[in-house]
Amino acid sequence: MKKTILFITLISTISCNQSSNCEAFMRIDREYECVLLAQKKDWGTSGNLAMEGINPFTQEKCNCNKENRSFSIYRNEIEIGDTVIKRKGELTFYIHKKDTIISHEWECDGKTYNSDGTIKEILK
């Protein structure tokens, strides 16, 4: 029993003290692509981004399922009829609404990044 408690405490301490690996997350998110006119969304309880619809450029049925939470934080902004665009090789996530375009720049550890992966300068 003492070994189990020690093991759990050790794992918790190590995992809590790890800083984010923004470079690795950026590489993963840069490879993700989603171009979709949302017709159905199924968020479930997992916090993932899961939508079905059509590609507005090809008119083919498609789905966007993102299993990590990088882009799922925007899911409450997406409604049926919105067009979601996240192009491969880029980091910006766009939501095209009827009369508005919302763009979300990629962030990690409180820093905002440009599409090329450099940290965006904040002008004061």
Side-chain angles (χ1 to χ4, degrees), residues 4-124:
T4 303
I5 293 172
L6 180 62
F7 178 73
I8 291 171
T9 304
L10 180 63
I11 295 298
S12 297
T13 303
I14 291 171
S15 63
C16 290
N17 290 331
Q18 295 286 329
S19 62
S20 295
N21 187 344
C22 292
E23 188 72 30
F25 294 141
M26 186 185 312
R27 281 193 302 272
I28 292 166
D29 289 344
R30 189 177 275 139
E31 290 301 307
Y32 178 68
E33 182 168 75
C34 176
V35 179
L36 167 106
L37 172 62
Q39 295 179 325
K40 180 182 176 185
K41 56 184 187 175
D42 179 19
W43 304 141
T45 58
S46 64
N48 293 338
L49 184 65
M51 299 174 286
E52 294 178 13
I54 59 168
N55 182 310
F57 304 113
T58 65
Q59 302 303 309
E60 294 177 5
K61 287 189 177 202
C62 61
N63 63 56
C64 293
N65 295 308
K66 183 68 172 157
E67 293 183 8
N68 73 39
R69 296 177 184 237
S70 299
F71 301 112
S72 65
I73 58 175
Y74 312 127
R75 68 189 196 165
N76 291 333
E77 298 176 26
I78 301 168
E79 299 171 354
I80 301 300
D82 292 348
T83 300
V84 174
I85 299 178
K86 166 47 185 89
R87 291 187 176 92
K88 186 175 181 176
E90 296 180 5
L91 293 170
T92 306
F93 186 91
Y94 298 95
I95 303 167
H96 292 242
K97 297 191 165 284
K98 190 182 283 187
D99 59 355
T100 308
I101 298 174
I102 301 170
S103 65
H104 291 285
E105 295 176 310
W106 196 81
E107 296 180 7
C108 184
D109 283 345
K111 297 176 186 134
T112 303
Y113 288 76
N114 297 309
S115 284
D116 65 359
T118 59
I119 297 173
K120 188 172 195 162
E121 284 188 46
I122 300 173
L123 302 175
K124 294 181 180 182

